Amino acid sequence: MNIVSACQGDSLKIFLRLVNLLEVDYKLDKVGIYVSDSMAFEKVSDPRLIDSKTLIVTEWEIFDKARDLTPNWDKIRRYEKILGDPVFWNILISDRRVFFGKKCKMTQDYSPRFSYDKMGAILESLLDTVDGLFEKQEPDLVVSFGTSNVGDYLFYLMAKAKNIPFLQLKATKISNRVSFNDDIVELSSHIKNHYEEEKEFSLDVSNEAREYLRQVRKSGVKYEGAILGICSSS
């Protein structure tokens, strides 16, 4: 089994823990990792990161390559016909560090950091690198942890185009629970199908839902990032 992941910040640690858990029941061969945070990456020490079967691509190297690149719009359009939804604009605007100003993570900065051509160069560098990662590692599963940067979005589109199972870990906004979704925008298919087929929930699930509603009506809802404790699956 081969697995690749787009990791932002501390999600790299989560992915490596996931890899260790999967290795209990599955034989993992090749692992591919797209890393977007250099400071988080430097803090992580794990045998998997120096394993010859692991291929790591870094976002900062992709951006560095784009500095001297004149975008090949014909190549981008060829990629777009295969991967676009229907165009690549969503990839660029999903990442505020690309679409907004240089200081957008610290303050409201809507002045564009990059020109249209420079965004095209970033996109081309990203497409070539991620496509190469998928070709070399031949993933059977693609994992993501959010949709806030260009890598996350492209991983989803590439998995979808290549018919590779895709799972994204998301906060459910219910207590401190998380879930794996197979869509970055819509409801995950297993939840959507459950409602559309009008399946009944088990008594345990129904009672747990009623208890959650009772607690919310009594004390309100807290942002899940403020709740201490280990996340539960949902």
Side-chain angles (χ1 to χ4, degrees):
M1 178 180 177
N2 302 330
I3 182 171
V4 300
S5 176
C7 298
Q8 40 178 295
D10 284 340
S11 64
L12 175 59
K13 295 179 183 178
I14 299 173
F15 175 65
L16 292 171
R17 289 178 63 188
L18 176 63
V19 167
N20 290 335
L21 287 172
L22 287 173
E23 285 181 324
V24 174
D25 297 312
Y26 300 93
K27 182 182 181 298
L28 286 186
D29 189 10
K30 294 184 286 187
V31 174
I33 309 174
Y34 174 101
V35 185
S36 64
D37 189 324
S38 59
M39 290 188 290
F41 178 68
E42 290 171 358
K43 293 177 183 178
V44 177
S45 176
D46 189 286
R48 177 62 72 175
L49 296 179
I50 57 174
D51 192 313
S52 60
K53 295 181 180 179
T54 301
L55 177 59
I56 300 171
V57 298
T58 64
E59 189 175 83
W60 51 96
E61 291 175 326
I62 291 171
F63 276 57
D64 282 344
K65 179 183 175 182
R67 287 180 181 177
D68 302 318
L69 187 66
T70 299
N72 183 335
W73 294 109
D74 288 335
K75 181 203 286 189
I76 292 172
R77 276 189 283 270
R78 288 195 296 271
Y79 268 118
E80 201 168 51
K81 287 181 180 180
I82 301 171
L83 304 173
D85 62 339
V87 295
F88 282 148
W89 191 239
N90 282 345
I91 293 179
L92 296 171
I93 64 175
S94 71
D95 195 329
R96 60 182 175 175
R97 300 164 306 149
V98 173
F99 193 66
F100 291 138
K102 188 174 182 178
K103 299 178 181 178
C104 65
K105 294 184 73 174
M106 296 171 281
T107 185
Q108 288 184 322
D109 185 0
Y110 301 126
S111 57
R113 181 179 183 180
F114 299 111
S115 66
Y116 186 72
D117 277 352
K118 187 51 63 180
M119 286 194 287
I122 292 170
L123 183 59
E124 182 182 344
S125 180
L126 175 75
L127 288 163
D128 286 341
T129 303
V130 174
D131 192 22
L133 174 70
F134 272 64
E135 288 296 318
K136 290 178 181 177
Q137 301 308 90
E138 302 175 311
D140 301 295
L141 175 65
V142 178
V143 178
S144 175
F145 298 91
T147 316
S148 63
N149 67 41
V150 288
D152 292 320
Y153 212 112
L154 181 56
F155 264 57
Y156 168 70
L157 294 181
M158 199 159 284
K160 187 176 179 181
K162 295 176 180 290
N163 294 315
I164 304 169
F166 171 89
L167 292 173
Q168 185 176 89
L169 192 68
K170 287 186 176 183
T172 64
K173 313 300 182 184
I174 299 174
S175 300
N176 206 29
R177 295 175 179 273
V178 296
S179 67
F180 269 122
N181 287 22
D182 57 11
D183 194 289
I184 62 172
V185 179
E186 302 291 339
L187 276 175
S188 194
S189 60
H190 72 281
I191 298 175
K192 184 178 180 182
N193 292 340
H194 198 105
Y195 278 98
E196 288 181 346
E197 295 171 9
E198 298 183 350
K199 293 180 179 178
E200 291 187 4
F201 291 95
S202 69
L203 183 60
D204 288 342
V205 170
S206 298
N207 287 338
E208 190 172 354
R210 292 189 183 96
E211 176 59 21
Y212 175 74
L213 289 173
R214 186 191 67 78
Q215 291 178 3
V216 168
R217 288 165 179 163
K218 179 180 178 181
S219 56
V221 179
K222 290 183 179 180
Y223 164 57
E224 78 282 354
I227 301 173
L228 298 176
I230 299 175
C231 293
S232 305
S233 62
S234 177

